[in-house]
Amino acid sequence: SGAARKPLLGLADLPGFGYARLSKDVKASVEVAAERYLNSRRPLALGVLLVDARRTPSGDDRAVLAALYDMGVPLVVVATKVDKLSDRERDSQLEEVRDGLGLPEGQPLCVSSVTGEGTRELWGIVLDACEGRVKELRDEAEGREEEDDDDEEEENDGGMAFRD
């Protein structure tokens, strides 16, 4: 078949602007564009909020987390750059991230691109979410096929032809 196949996995990196120096107008337009993008998408398999483990979560971080939560998007919060913290700093900073975002104990997931910490776990979460979403889509498609089959049966069985 010559039909183009759609990609199974798509990743979108929405702009982070918590520490960027943006004018209020530019920041507002970025927020509107991100919101428009998220609202126009089919349901997302997973939202991944990346926060710098060395920083206190911003109001923007909380707003993004709340928006994704309100949209019903499964979420994982990832604390990046954990390799740049001492053990003592790490514990207090992770507590600050957890408290600042209202996360339960055991979160956020700690990741370091330098040491590789947490990367395997993060990919596992991403792949599990994708597999779950693919299963949901298959189930929806099979449900539609069954409905279409039922409709065809009703059309075929429901109309009686009389001949003279």
Side-chain angles (χ1 to χ4, degrees), residues 33 38 42 66 77 111:
L38 289 172
R42 294 176 85 183
V77 177
V111 172

Side-chain angles (χ1 to χ4, degrees), residues 83-149:
D83 56 282
K84 301 196 182 308
L85 299 170
S86 70
D87 289 342
R88 201 177 98 244
E89 290 173 321
R90 181 176 168 142
D91 290 342
S92 67
Q93 281 303 119
L94 290 177
E95 185 174 338
E96 194 166 327
V97 169
R98 199 170 20 259
D99 291 347
L101 296 174
L103 301 175
E105 193 65 38
Q107 287 190 38
L109 175 64
C110 296
V111 172
S112 167
S113 63
V114 174
T115 66
E117 177 185 352
T119 55
R120 183 177 297 248
E121 293 86 350
L122 179 56
W123 275 112
I125 291 167
V126 169
L127 293 174
D128 286 348
C130 290
E131 287 175 1
R133 185 69 184 123
V134 166
K135 182 181 179 334
E136 288 174 16
L137 292 171
R138 276 197 187 121
D139 291 348
E140 287 175 18
E142 288 171 4
R144 280 193 301 275
E145 287 174 9
E146 288 174 12
E147 286 176 15
D148 290 345
D149 290 345

Side-chain angles (χ1 to χ4, degrees), residues 44-47 67-75:
L44 300 173
L46 181 67
L68 291 171
Y69 179 82
D70 289 345
M71 293 173 66
V73 175
L75 292 162

